[in-house]
Amino acid sequence: MSNPAIDVQARRTTKRAVYLRAFLREPVTVAAWCVFILMILSALVGPELYPHDPYAQNLSNRLLPPGSEAAEGLLPHYLGTDALGRDVVARLLSGARVSIAVGFAGVVVSGLLGITVGLVAGYFRGRVEDVLMRLSDLQESFPALILALFILYALGPGLANLLLVMAIARWPTYARVSRSLALGLRDNQYIEAARALGASPARIIREHVLVNARSPLVILATLELARVILFESTLSFLGFGIQPPDTSWGLMISEGREYLGRAPWLIIVPGLAIFATALSANLIASWGQNVTDPIRRAEWLRRGLVKEKA
């Protein structure tokens, strides 16, 4: 007689193995995850492990080409130096920490605001929905970049103001998606049962609506991470984002544009970092849709099993 607990564990192990095989047979997805994890690790530990100081200036070493020798006891300047003699790799790693941190913080701030507004609007409907959604329409009627420049011009550049801009510029995207999800869930039987048992609206939204809407919202947040990093890079490039002596990928491009003909690596290197991070985040989000959506998941797993049999 079989043991039910062992049977359940065996089924779970088999399911994980099928998912893993299907994942490994998607080389583009595997590469995207590797690049994304590499960028995260570079931002977390890169500045501490790399020996060059990203802020140390040496005008005698300005605009050295990639591979140039450094002072005794230090690694070569693998990607050259900038106009102030600072090591580009060190600046790139330090900029990764700032750009990716701003990206995640921007997603969290705008996501919390937008998801809260969208779930409340979709659950309560009526006048509450009309007011909140018209606010969303009003905000989206202004071009995001122009609105951001106006706010930063009025308040001044800085990390706190930059996060405020991210929240104001991106929350309507979350609000519209979460509202549509709440509309599809609010009349389900288990939510009606929770109402009948006396659960408060806040508890129903938190424990029933949000829980069942989390998968598409996580995918949306992954897509928004790429957009926020690009948005921060644009603002820093225009001089309204991260300010010296701090650095970010967008600020590195802004500082290097004057030397495009003489030192193109100053723009190419941070540009490729932005491109790789944004592309990998988008590919991961596309993979997440395949995994979380039941119809797409079945097709995704079928393709993986077909490739295995072939």
Side-chain angles (χ1 to χ4, degrees), residues 225-299:
L225 175 64
R227 295 191 181 99
V228 170
I229 291 176
L230 291 171
F231 196 54
E232 180 276 324
S233 299
T234 302
L235 292 174
S236 295
F237 176 80
L238 295 174
F240 288 89
I242 302 300
Q243 299 295 303
D246 295 326
T247 188
S248 71
W249 291 335
L251 184 58
M252 289 180 67
I253 295 176
S254 178
E255 293 173 341
R257 61 181 172 175
E258 298 180 10
Y259 308 95
L260 179 59
R262 183 179 174 187
W265 60 86
L266 297 180
I267 289 181
I268 293 174
V269 170
L272 288 176
I274 295 171
F275 171 77
T277 305
L279 180 61
S280 62
N282 281 307
L283 291 173
I284 290 171
S286 177
W287 169 80
Q289 288 181 317
N290 291 334
V291 174
T292 57
D293 183 83
I295 297 177
R296 293 189 177 188
R297 181 170 61 239
E299 177 62 21

Side-chain angles (χ1 to χ4, degrees), residues 149-301:
L149 293 175
F150 176 79
I151 295 174
L152 291 174
Y153 178 79
L155 300 179
L159 182 58
N161 293 338
L162 189 60
L163 293 179
L164 175 63
V165 166
M166 300 293 182
I168 294 175
R170 303 308 306 173
W171 75 266
T173 303
Y174 293 95
R176 290 185 174 279
V177 173
S178 56
R179 168 184 169 271
S180 65
L181 293 171
L183 288 175
L185 294 169
R186 68 185 300 275
D187 295 326
N188 285 348
Q189 292 183 352
Y190 60 88
I191 292 182
E192 294 288 350
R195 290 196 195 99
L197 292 173
S200 65
R203 182 175 181 180
I204 293 174
I205 292 173
R206 182 180 65 252
E207 297 183 3
H208 298 287
V209 179
L210 179 59
V211 167
N212 288 281
R214 66 183 183 275
S215 293
L217 292 176
V218 169
I219 294 170
L220 175 62
T222 307
L223 289 170
E224 283 294 303
L225 175 64
R227 295 191 181 99
V228 170
I229 291 176
L230 291 171
F231 196 54
E232 180 276 324
S233 299
T234 302
L235 292 174
S236 295
F237 176 80
L238 295 174
F240 288 89
I242 302 300
Q243 299 295 303
D246 295 326
T247 188
S248 71
W249 291 335
L251 184 58
M252 289 180 67
I253 295 176
S254 178
E255 293 173 341
R257 61 181 172 175
E258 298 180 10
Y259 308 95
L260 179 59
R262 183 179 174 187
W265 60 86
L266 297 180
I267 289 181
I268 293 174
V269 170
L272 288 176
I274 295 171
F275 171 77
T277 305
L279 180 61
S280 62
N282 281 307
L283 291 173
I284 290 171
S286 177
W287 169 80
Q289 288 181 317
N290 291 334
V291 174
T292 57
D293 183 83
I295 297 177
R296 293 189 177 188
R297 181 170 61 239
E299 177 62 21
W300 177 68
L301 291 174

